[in-house]
Amino acid sequence: MTGTECYYAALNLLGETRDTGAYYEQFALGALNQLLTNSLREINALRAAQHEELLTVPPRLTSLEEDIPADNCLVSECFPYGLAALLVADDDKAKFNWTASEYAERLLSHCPAQLTAVQEMI
């Protein structure tokens, strides 16, 4: 999913069209990069489950035309809600609360359990 596709999906969730929601486009790239930063734990959990090297810094987009550099299922299911929440945070508290809640719930479903060894206390 590209940044543009995610932005259009977020507009759809907000009940906006490309024309009526054009104001939000100026914030989309920065908001997507913030989502990537906020989701680094989940991105790394998925990478660990797939035996891939963990990231030490969050991936970043330089334009909305790029593919979002994270697991496609995570991005396509979670990021439109997170982006929508960030875009309306100052404008519509009801939409913000709904989309932020959906983002958080969906993010949890994509984060595999992290197993750690049990250590005996002596």
Side-chain angles (χ1 to χ4, degrees):
M1 174 177 261
T2 67
T4 300
E5 291 168 333
C6 187
Y7 168 65
Y8 291 156
L11 287 180
N12 185 55
L13 291 170
L14 297 172
E16 300 283 351
T17 66
R18 294 178 191 180
D19 293 331
T20 64
Y23 165 77
Y24 296 116
E25 188 172 2
Q26 63 188 315
F27 307 111
L29 181 60
L32 282 168
N33 281 324
Q34 186 61 51
L35 285 176
L36 285 165
T37 299
N38 295 351
S39 305
L40 183 60
R41 181 180 68 96
E42 290 79 11
I43 291 169
N44 274 338
L46 288 166
R47 291 176 68 87
Q50 297 166 356
H51 306 290
E52 295 176 5
E53 187 176 333
L54 301 184
L55 302 175
T56 57
V57 296
R60 299 200 48 84
L61 290 171
T62 57
S63 80
L64 290 176
E65 289 74 36
E66 295 175 9
D67 285 332
I68 299 172
D71 178 82
N72 193 52
C73 290
L74 173 75
V75 169
S76 62
E77 186 172 340
C78 304
F79 275 40
Y81 288 93
L83 179 56
L86 291 175
L87 293 177
V88 297
D90 291 334
D91 302 329
D92 189 324
K93 294 302 180 195
K95 285 182 181 178
F96 169 78
N97 288 334
W98 171 66
T99 54
S101 176
E102 284 291 324
Y103 169 70
E105 288 296 319
R106 291 164 187 267
L107 199 61
L108 285 175
S109 71
H110 285 283
C111 187
Q114 188 172 6
L115 304 176
T116 55
V118 175
Q119 294 182 353
E120 260 187 61
M121 300 292 288
I122 300 179

